């Protein structure tokens, strides 16, 4: 057995040569950093060697869960990813349904191409555009003044009002990704058997009935899989939009775990606490993802990789 | 029946109107930024520019492209996009080929080793410490090495190769071609549609990155990228134009023609135009790639 394995390995040396260097790369860049997790259990001092570090057990984790700031950051993370999840799903499915009803192929193509555009710009560019749009002299305030909802001189400083941040984040994410997220649903819709629509026509079903009773059930498997996958990503609320749109005024609502990790780690060089927070996030994500994968397999709808 | 068709018509009109509005909401911010970038700097300060420049001028673009810092940053952006994309596409395709070979003894091990990494992430600081220990901090290669292979790319390409007819690869081997030759001469050309998708995604990622510049190379202006320069401008957007002028090395005469507002708009356009121009041409491919890789129904 052993022998034949090595024999095969030598026989397949070209395949080995083509892949093993990248396995080594994988271990260095993806697995080796896990070693850094030990720092979360130490009172880490950069000048000391590994054996000289003082071990403190779960002290940093205990601190996190009594720290008001971390609890607020955790709340923001869950709130923003929750908003993203619900809003992202509802808007993408709605847009896909509406696009699916368009018979004018050229118009449909145009809307699709335009709606993909914001996906291809960076969050830096997007944040700049959002700041301009929401500024005191931005288009939103201009419209509000023109329609008489607010008076001139009462312009709203949207990014300066803390409890507006989640809505701004949700709306920005939808604006950027809604078109992109329709791709999977639209592909699933084209796979629906046309005879189902014909049968519905025979029964005298109108447009809405067909959307509700044929199209939506037709894409249900895709919706279920994506929903499960996204629940696995509940700890991932993003980093760039919060970092770029966040400011001193809205920090209580914009700061999430990723920003907490960055601020403690890079700006304050408190590696131990930063790694403990990041580790907590990864472990929770791992549990969620594993659970999601198990559920996906059980439902038998499809497999995640 | 007649009533239903009236309802259909109302729906039709509403639907077209809504989707047209959606396009306006998507495009307006870009057109507005474009208008500002093509408007004379001082005039822009009066505000009230919407879709069309009021006082047309290409002064802003002239200023931006004369600025040594920005030119250099653009060059680095182009380099990391081109090199990063080429490296990622080639390496991902090669590994994907090896794990598509059913007879390969390490196939299972390699596949699992890669897929497992989707479930955890070492974290910001551990990765930072690793990059420092590998002497990648303060180096251009920190933009390339960490992203050599993406698991998503690997799986999409593997699925595609597995969908190719086995007979084509067999014919290669009968001709005595080794695995690399089979990969290079036969598999790679057949994979062009999926490679176009992977290349687009990688290029977009590379072109749009700023965080790795901020994290690893923020102290070295020679390794700065366009997105990072734009990010710095945006974060200082409340700063006075004086800071802006001192930030750039150009003479005061040129600087007085432009304002932070118009430079910001111009940089935004320069930073987003390359990807905006490319993606419509590859739409056919990435729509397919997304559906192959996203969900296996």
């Amino acid at each position: 057995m052993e022998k034949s394995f090595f024999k095969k390995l030598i026989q397949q040396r070209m395949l080995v040569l083509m892949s093993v260097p990248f396995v080594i790369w994988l271990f260095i860049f993806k697995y080796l950093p896990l070693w850094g997790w030990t720092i979360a259990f130490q009172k880490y001092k950069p000048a000391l060697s590994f054996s000289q570090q003082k071990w403190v057990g779960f002290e940093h984790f205990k601190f996190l869960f009594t720290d008001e700031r971390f609890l607020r950051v955790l709340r923001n993370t869950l709130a923003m990813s929750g908003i993203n999840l619900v809003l992202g799903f509802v808007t993408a499915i709605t847009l896909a349904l509406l696009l699916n009803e368009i018979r004018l192929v050229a118009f449909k193509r145009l809307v699709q191409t335009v709606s993909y555009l914001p996906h291809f710009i960076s969050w830096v560019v997007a944040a700049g555009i959002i700041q301009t749009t929401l500024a005191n002299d931005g288009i939103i305030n201009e419209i509000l003044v023109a329609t008489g909802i607010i008076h001139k001189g009462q312009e709203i400083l949207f990014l300066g009002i803390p409890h507006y941040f989640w809505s701004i984040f949700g709306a920005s994410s939808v604006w950027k990704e809604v078109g992109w997220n329709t791709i999977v649903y639209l592909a699933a819709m084209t796979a629906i058997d046309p005879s189902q629509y014909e049968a519905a026509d025979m029964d005298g079903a109108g447009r809405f009935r067909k959307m509700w009773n044929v199209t939506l059930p037709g894409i249900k498997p895709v919706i279920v899989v994506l929903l499960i996958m996204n629940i696995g990503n509940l700890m991932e609320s993003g980093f760039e939009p919060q970092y770029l749109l966040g400011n001193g005024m809205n920090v209580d609502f914009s700061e999430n775990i990723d920003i907490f990790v960055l601020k403690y780690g890079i700006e304050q060089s408190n590696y131990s606490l930063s790694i403990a927070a990041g580790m907590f996030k990864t472990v929770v994500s791992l549990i969620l993802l594993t659970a999601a994968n198990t559920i996906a397999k059980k439902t038998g709808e499809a497999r995640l990789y | 029946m007649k009533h239903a068709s009236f309802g259909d018509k109302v729906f039709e009109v509403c639907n077209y109107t809504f989707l047209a509005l959606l396009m306006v909401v998507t495009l307006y911010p870009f057109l507005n930024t474009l208008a500002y970038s093509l408007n004379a700097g001082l005039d822009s300060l009066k505000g009230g520019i919407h879709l069309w420049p009021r006082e047309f001028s290409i002064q802003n673009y002239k200023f931006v492209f004369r600025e040594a810092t920005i030119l250099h940053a653009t060059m680095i952006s182009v380099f990391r996009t081109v090199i990063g994309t080429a490296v990622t596409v080639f390496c991902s395709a090669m590994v994907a080929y090896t794990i598509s070979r059913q007879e390969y003894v390490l196939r299972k091990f390699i596949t699992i080793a890669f897929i497992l990494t989707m479930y955890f992430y070492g974290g910001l600081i551990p990765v930072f410490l690793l990059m420092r220990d590998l002497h990648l901090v303060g180096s251009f290669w920190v933009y390339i090495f960490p992203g050599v292979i993406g698991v998503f790319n690997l799986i999409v390409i593997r699925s595609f190769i597995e969908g190719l007819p086995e007979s084509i690869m067999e014919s290669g081997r009968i001709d005595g071609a080794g695995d690399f030759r089979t990969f290079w001469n036969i598999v790679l050309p057949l994979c062009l549609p999926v490679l176009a998708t992977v290349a687009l995604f990688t290029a977009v990622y590379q072109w749009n990155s700023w965080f790795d510049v901020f994290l690893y190379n923020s102290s070295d202006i020679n390794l700065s990228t366009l997105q990072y320069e734009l990010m710095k401008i945006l974060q200082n957007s409340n700063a006075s134009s004086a800071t802006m002028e001192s930030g750039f090395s150009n003479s005061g005469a040129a600087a007085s023609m432009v304002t932070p507002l118009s430079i910001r708009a111009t940089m935004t356009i320069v930073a987003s135009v390359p990807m905006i121009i490319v993606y419509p041409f590859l739409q056919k491919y990435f729509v397919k790639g997304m559906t192959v890789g996203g969900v296996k129904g």
Side-chain angles (χ1 to χ4, degrees), chain B residues 193-220:
Chain B
V194 72
L195 297 185
T197 309
V198 170
L200 176 70
F201 290 174
T202 313
V204 169
Y205 164 79
Q206 287 284 1
W207 180 263
N208 285 342
S209 295
W210 59 273
F211 187 62
D212 47 10
V213 189
F214 166 74
L215 198 58
Y216 304 120
N217 291 337
S218 54
S219 57
D220 189 350

Side-chain angles (χ1 to χ4, degrees), chain A residues 12 16 19 25 28 31 33 37 98 104 113 117 120 122 124 128-129 132 142 175 180 187 207 240 286 293 302 305, chain B residues 12 15-16 25 29-30 50 103-105 113 118-119 122 126 145-146 208 210 227 234 264 279 283 291 293 296:
Chain A
Q12 298 173 342
V16 172
S19 56
W25 168 86
I28 294 173
Y31 286 88
W37 282 11
L98 293 179
L104 217 61
T113 306
L117 192 149
F120 288 94
S122 66
V124 174
I129 282 174
T132 310
E142 241 179 281
W175 176 77
W180 186 254
R207 250 198 156 125
E240 293 186 47
L286 184 70
N293 227 337
Y305 326 113
Chain B
E12 197 94 322
N15 196 8
Y16 275 91
V25 172
F30 291 100
H50 293 113
E103 77 277 8
Y104 185 32
V105 285
M118 291 174 84
Y119 288 87
F145 285 154
N208 285 342
W210 59 273
Q227 300 288 343
L234 292 177
R264 191 180 141 163
Y279 88 87
Q283 192 162 325
T291 39
K296 303 194 92 186

Side-chain angles (χ1 to χ4, degrees), chain B residues 132-204:
Chain B
R132 194 195 57 191
D133 293 343
L134 291 172
H135 299 288
L136 286 172
V137 173
S139 146
F140 172 78
W141 298 105
V142 79
Y143 305 144
I144 310 294
F145 285 154
V148 167
I149 292 175
V151 181
F152 173 82
N153 300 338
L154 196 65
I155 289 166
V156 176
I157 303 174
R158 187 196 63 179
S159 307
F160 191 90
I161 297 176
E162 282 172 352
L164 295 173
E166 182 63 23
S167 57
I168 297 177
M169 280 175 254
E170 281 305 322
S171 71
R173 261 191 297 277
I174 288 164
D175 291 345
D179 272 303
F180 187 77
R181 286 264 306 278
T182 312
F183 162 70
W184 185 255
N185 291 338
I186 299 169
V187 176
L188 216 49
L190 288 173
C191 284
L192 276 185
V194 72
L195 297 185
T197 309
V198 170
L200 176 70
F201 290 174
T202 313
V204 169

Side-chain angles (χ1 to χ4, degrees), chain A residues 285-304:
Chain A
S285 287
L286 184 70
I287 295 167
L288 287 172
L289 269 171
T290 316
N293 227 337
T294 318
I295 297 167
K297 264 181 200 148
K298 281 240 170 77
T299 59
E301 301 280 17
R303 76 186 164 102
L304 317 179

Side-chain angles (χ1 to χ4, degrees), chain B residues 5 82 112-113 145 184 265 280 293:
Chain B
S5 82
V82 172
I112 290 170
F145 285 154
W184 185 255

